[in-house]
Amino acid sequence: MKIKGIKLYIISMPLKLPFSTHLETVSDRESIIVEVTDVDGVKGYGEVVAFSSPWYTEETVQTCYHMIRDFFIPLLQKSEIHHPSDANALFNKLKGNHMAKAGLETALWDLYAKGEGMSLSKLLGGTVSKIPSGVVVGAKTLKESIEQIEQYLQSGYKRVKIKIGPENDLQIVSEIRKRFPDLMLMADANSAYTLKDINRLRALDEYNLLMIEQPLQHDDIINHAKLQSQLRTPICLDESIVTFDDAQNAVELGSCRIINIKIGRVGGLQTAKKIHDFCLEKDIPVWCGGMLEFGVSRAHNIALASLPNFTIPGDISASSRYWEEDITLPEVEVTDGIISVPVGPGIGFEINEKRLKEVTIKEEVFLF
Ligand SMILES: O=C(O)CCC(=O)c1ccccc1C(=O)O
Ligand SMILES: [Mg+2]
């Protein structure tokens, strides 16, 4: 791959509605858009999904900017890569910093696919042309949650995820179940519980949840296995699965029956695909998680979610779920709860240059 230059854009946009978990409320979203240009003038795009502060993982927009600018771009400048899968080994000479690595690595995948005149979905081995879409409710009160669920169901979303914690779990889950008895419903705890809460969590077994996501500590695998053995509801791990080895260990120990794959959390598409392939072999369904992201990351998620073991609707909602106007053309659209996988080259979405310019607060160019 003959890279001519890389441009980084830090962008900032308000969310339509604030998004709350028990850890943090996000109202404004900053991200880094990575644009890699090759000697033929082809441009590949990636997005860094870290938040402004380290509440979900330890990375931030600023740590990612530093890592990409001062380490990963210089590594790429010094090395020759022939395929985007070489980037993973190259970047892994340096520890951690998965979201920074993924921002750059995903741009290389887009660039390579475009160079081959192939969709990213096809390049990754995607097998479906339509994917069912789920939505996450991040409202602060039960009343708002119910109103939002009603709206989302009307617009066709196939699956709803709510955020829970020990202070409100049984109340919200039972109320929502009463109103929506057949809803494909799941709950994400973002580590709000400990093993001491086992009875509370067992009580949730009554509500036919599709899964409980990340009930225990963000880096735990052992206690989740103890908990899963006591629960009928499948546990899904999100924060705990940061590497391929984590996925292998969790499956081997029985710490979960489902895995949420986020490209940024695991350090890029290469590892995301490797975890997918392993889970397919082990009969562990996977789905694609979300990071309140812009269209570029949504597009990468769509390509990934077209792989065969993404059998559960993920957190890939429409651009309009979060943004007045997204940075891609077209925006990501959900029709009757379904997203069409683009067939055009690469991610299959163009950049809305005017919108990108409007929301850019800093940009920097690196020539090769
Ligand atoms: O709609 C989305 O983008 C996903 C929302 C979501 O649940 C989430 C958002 C930010 C950080 C972590 C999570 C999560 O899956 O835990
Ligand atoms: Mg989660």
Side-chain angles (χ1 to χ4, degrees):
M1 298 179 75
K2 295 202 164 53
I3 300 170
K4 198 171 110 203
I6 296 182
K7 187 165 177 181
L8 301 179
Y9 305 79
I10 300 187
I11 64 172
S12 176
M13 212 190 283
L15 268 71
K16 269 187 181 171
L17 295 169
F19 184 89
S20 293
T21 70
H22 76 107
L23 298 169
E24 177 72 316
T25 295
V26 180
S27 312
D28 289 285
R29 182 70 164 110
E30 275 186 309
S31 287
I32 305 168
I33 302 299
V34 180
E35 177 187 271
V36 183
T37 307
D38 73 8
V39 292
D40 299 321
V42 181
K43 289 176 177 354
Y45 290 90
E47 178 176 332
V48 173
V49 297
F51 293 102
S52 304
S53 79
W55 64 272
Y56 170 72
T57 65
E58 74 286 2
E59 292 180 272
T60 70
V61 172
Q62 289 301 321
T63 67
C64 289
Y65 199 88
H66 162 57
M67 289 306 300
I68 294 175
R69 179 185 193 281
D70 298 327
F71 292 99
F72 299 127
I73 289 179
L75 260 184
L76 266 183
Q77 284 169 326
K78 283 201 300 254
S79 326
E80 207 175 321
I81 61 167
H82 302 282
H83 187 269
S85 57
D86 299 338
N88 187 59
L90 182 67
F91 296 160
N92 282 342
K93 290 179 176 176
L94 302 176
K95 302 271 190 295
N97 296 285
H98 284 187
M99 292 178 182
K101 288 172 179 170
L104 199 46
E105 193 241 25
T106 52
L108 294 169
W109 278 98
D110 180 33
L111 180 65
Y112 186 86
K114 284 171 175 160
E116 297 289 298
M118 194 190 263
S119 73
L120 180 58
S121 161
K122 193 159 174 222
L123 179 63
L124 292 170
T127 51
V128 300
S129 61
K130 300 205 178 300
I131 55 178
S133 169
V135 67
V136 190
V137 174
K140 272 217 164 8
T141 66
L142 177 59
K143 185 169 168 284
E144 285 171 314
S145 300
I146 287 176
E147 285 165 9
Q148 289 187 18
I149 293 173
E150 250 150 24
Q151 267 181 23
Y152 292 136
L153 290 181
Q154 262 171 29
S155 55
Y157 282 104
K158 302 284 186 216
R159 188 232 67 194
V160 170
K161 170 167 132 182
I162 52 171
K163 296 287 189 179
I164 56 162
E167 62 305 331
N168 62 8
D169 47 11
L170 287 169
Q171 190 212 358
I172 344 188
V173 173
S174 64
E175 197 58 37
I176 291 176
R177 237 326 151 232
K178 209 157 70 193
R179 306 261 181 143
F180 309 99
D182 303 321
L183 172 63
M184 203 195 282
L185 178 67
M186 55 180 285
D188 185 358
N190 292 104
S191 307
Y193 299 90
T194 70
L195 265 191
K196 292 197 182 111
D197 296 309
I198 193 153
N199 289 332
R200 293 200 75 83
L201 291 162
R202 287 182 67 163
L204 292 175
D205 269 345
E206 298 312 305
Y207 297 98
N208 189 27
L209 295 174
L210 188 59
M211 70 193 84
I212 298 176
E213 184 178 344
Q214 197 69 37
L216 307 180
Q217 201 170 295
H218 70 94
D219 54 358
D220 170 79
I221 284 186
I222 304 285
N223 285 336
H224 278 105
K226 292 183 188 162
L227 179 62
Q228 181 67 89
S229 71
Q230 305 284 312
L231 284 187
R232 257 190 294 138
T233 310
I235 291 176
C236 168
L237 290 178
D238 172 358
E239 285 90 328
S240 293
I241 308 298
V242 170
T243 62
F244 175 73
D245 285 6
D246 291 338
Q248 239 181 348
N249 291 337
V251 170
E252 185 160 321
L253 286 175
S255 317
C256 61
R257 295 192 197 131
I258 299 173
I259 289 180
N260 162 338
I261 301 183
K262 290 184 184 173
I263 301 168
R265 198 191 64 227
V266 303
L269 277 165
Q270 176 79 6
T271 304
K273 181 171 160 52
K274 196 169 163 200
I275 294 173
H276 162 275
D277 294 351
F278 170 75
C279 288
L280 179 61
E281 195 187 296
K282 296 289 174 184
D283 248 333
I284 299 285
V286 301
W287 55 278
C288 183
M291 287 290 287
L292 314 173
E293 55 249 295
F294 296 102
V296 171
S297 175
R298 270 169 217 275
H300 283 283
N301 286 343
I302 292 167
L304 179 68
S306 71
L307 298 179
N309 196 34
F310 282 85
T311 50
I312 298 171
D315 290 348
I316 316 177
S317 50
S319 295
S320 62
R321 156 75 180 88
Y322 292 109
W323 315 121
E324 288 299 343
E325 188 184 3
D326 202 345
I327 57 164
T328 56
L329 278 175
E331 299 198 345
V332 173
E333 275 166 26
V334 175
T335 309
D336 292 329
I338 300 287
I339 299 176
S340 295
V341 180
V343 291
I347 56 175
F349 289 82
E350 303 289 321
I351 297 300
N352 181 339
E353 301 287 350
K354 177 168 167 285
R355 182 59 173 157
L356 178 62
K357 202 165 180 186
E358 254 167 30
V359 295
T360 295
I361 55 177
K362 173 178 175 167
E363 54 184 68
E364 195 171 352
V365 174
F366 305 84
L367 293 177
F368 276 51

